[in-house]
Amino acid sequence: MKKYIKIFIGILIAVIFIWTFVFLYQKSQPKETKYEIVKAEISCLERTTLATGKIEPRDEIDIKPQISGIISEIYKEAGQSIKEGDIIAKVKVIPELGQLNSAESRVRLAEMELKQSQLNEERSKNLLEKKFISQEEYENDALKLKQAQEELQVAKDQLEIVRDGITKSSASMSSTLIRSTITGLILDVPVKIGNSVIQANTMNDGTTIATIADMNDLIFRGNIDETEVGRIHEGMPVKITLGAIQDMSFNATLEYISPKGVEENGANQFEIKASITVPDSVTIRSGYSANAEIVLQSAKDVLCIPESVIEFSGDSSFVSVLTDSLNGQVFERRQITTGMSDGVKIEVKSGITLEEPLQGKEIEVED
């Protein structure tokens, strides 16, 4: 029994030794390397750059009051269309005490002047009838009466403006009624009833009652890196894509490039603007984030190959052309002349033909 066990162990050791020898021999043999075969094609290439920004109306107007006071009525809200001259809100005037006292005093003085002028005019009229004074002296007193009447009316109007912000004689032109200066869409009404507002002056920009814009005239405003700004110019076509409407793109025309850069995150950025063409069936809101794709260079119907198959050596470019596939893959290294690239494909001007197969990436071969 022991004899058979020894024989079995011996055979097992021999099998293991032979298998190990065969395995190591196979591993020591060079593996066959295969490559994916790539062919050139006729295609169109575009080299583009991308600018990020947002959509906004070309003209955005802040409506401010012509007087200071408190908002008593608001007739419009954000999102509504509005025409030029439409009333947005009404301001109730809170008179300043010093100005009010001055205006009231002016009225009282004007009334006293008017009474005196009336007495002088009546006296002159009686004297003229008795021929004690000349016609010219009477006319002077009559003129002073008219001037006193006019001064009283002006004083009363001034008092009404200080006290109420409006005069009875010019109610239709009231500065207490805040009107739109353009036709468009109301983007924002930042005030509420009861808010205090002030008119614009040399010390203050004034309170914004509403922000209005013409949403039929939109632009893209964004930034482009200084490495690309030298390759663009006004009038270039631009394709706009919006984050809010991802399945659509809009045509635009580049119309402005800032002459001065601004440093952002360590890089110089230049502002650009492009006018957008928007179909009537599409609604775009102010402030949408957007990307602008600008075509820097293009080539139509040219011979192209994947840029990954090219071997670059100094200023020269080479590809490996398949010359034999019967006895394994045999390649010939050949110099080519390249043109523009879009980052994925590159134009080949000379060196290969459309039908010639090229060496691509390596393919793993199973044992």
Side-chain angles (χ1 to χ4, degrees), residues 68-310:
S68 300
I70 294 177
I71 298 293
S72 60
E73 298 288 344
I74 296 178
Y75 303 105
K76 299 289 184 179
E77 61 182 20
Q80 289 183 325
S81 298
I82 193 170
K83 295 182 179 180
E84 181 179 354
D86 285 354
I87 299 173
I88 302 171
K90 183 178 181 180
V91 176
K92 179 182 178 181
V93 176
I94 305 299
E96 197 273 327
L97 188 58
Q99 293 181 348
L100 181 61
N101 289 336
S102 178
E104 290 175 343
S105 176
R106 182 179 176 183
V107 171
R108 289 192 296 268
L109 290 174
E111 288 175 343
M112 289 187 289
E113 289 289 340
L114 178 59
K115 289 180 181 179
Q116 185 62 47
S117 296
Q118 287 173 338
L119 293 174
N120 291 339
E121 192 272 339
E122 290 176 0
R123 186 182 303 112
S124 296
K125 186 176 181 180
N126 291 333
L127 292 174
L128 178 63
E129 291 175 354
K130 297 177 181 180
K131 300 191 182 295
F132 289 152
I133 62 172
S134 65
Q135 178 70 29
E136 183 180 358
E137 290 176 307
Y138 168 73
E139 290 177 352
N140 286 336
D141 288 335
L143 176 61
K144 290 179 181 179
L145 175 60
K146 291 181 179 180
Q147 290 174 341
Q149 292 171 339
E150 184 66 25
E151 174 61 24
L152 178 60
Q153 185 60 50
V154 171
K156 288 181 177 180
D157 288 346
Q158 183 63 33
L159 176 59
E160 290 177 353
I161 291 174
V162 171
R163 185 182 59 211
D164 306 322
I166 182 176
T167 65
K168 295 178 182 179
S169 60
S170 59
S172 62
M173 301 298 292
S174 171
S175 58
T176 62
L177 299 177
I178 312 303
R179 300 176 183 271
S180 174
T181 57
I182 64 170
T183 297
L185 184 73
I186 300 176
L187 302 182
D188 188 25
V189 180
V191 295
K192 298 180 180 179
I193 294 177
N195 285 163
S196 297
V197 297
I198 59 174
Q199 66 185 102
N201 52 54
T202 56
M203 301 296 294
N204 196 292
D205 291 336
T207 305
T208 298
I209 302 295
T211 302
I212 303 175
D214 181 5
M215 297 302 291
N216 294 319
D217 188 8
L218 299 175
I219 63 171
F220 166 85
R221 185 194 297 268
N223 294 318
I224 191 170
D225 191 82
E226 65 177 336
T227 57
E228 302 287 356
V229 72
R231 302 176 182 179
I232 63 176
H233 58 82
E234 288 85 354
M236 294 182 72
V238 180
K239 183 178 292 184
I240 304 294
T241 55
L242 307 179
I245 312 177
Q246 298 182 359
D247 58 341
M248 295 185 67
S249 61
F250 304 90
N251 295 324
T253 303
L254 187 63
E255 61 180 26
Y256 172 79
I257 305 171
S258 174
K260 181 180 179 181
V262 178
E263 185 174 346
E264 292 184 7
N265 300 323
N268 284 335
Q269 300 287 319
F270 289 80
E271 183 184 56
I272 62 172
K273 298 178 185 177
S275 59
I276 308 174
T277 302
V278 181
D280 295 336
S281 59
V282 179
T283 299
I284 295 182
R285 302 181 187 278
S286 178
Y288 273 170
S289 60
N291 292 325
E293 185 179 6
I294 306 173
V295 178
L296 301 176
Q297 189 180 6
S298 63
K300 294 183 178 180
D301 300 329
V302 294
L303 185 66
C304 303
I305 61 174
E307 193 166 347
S308 58
V309 306
I310 296 181

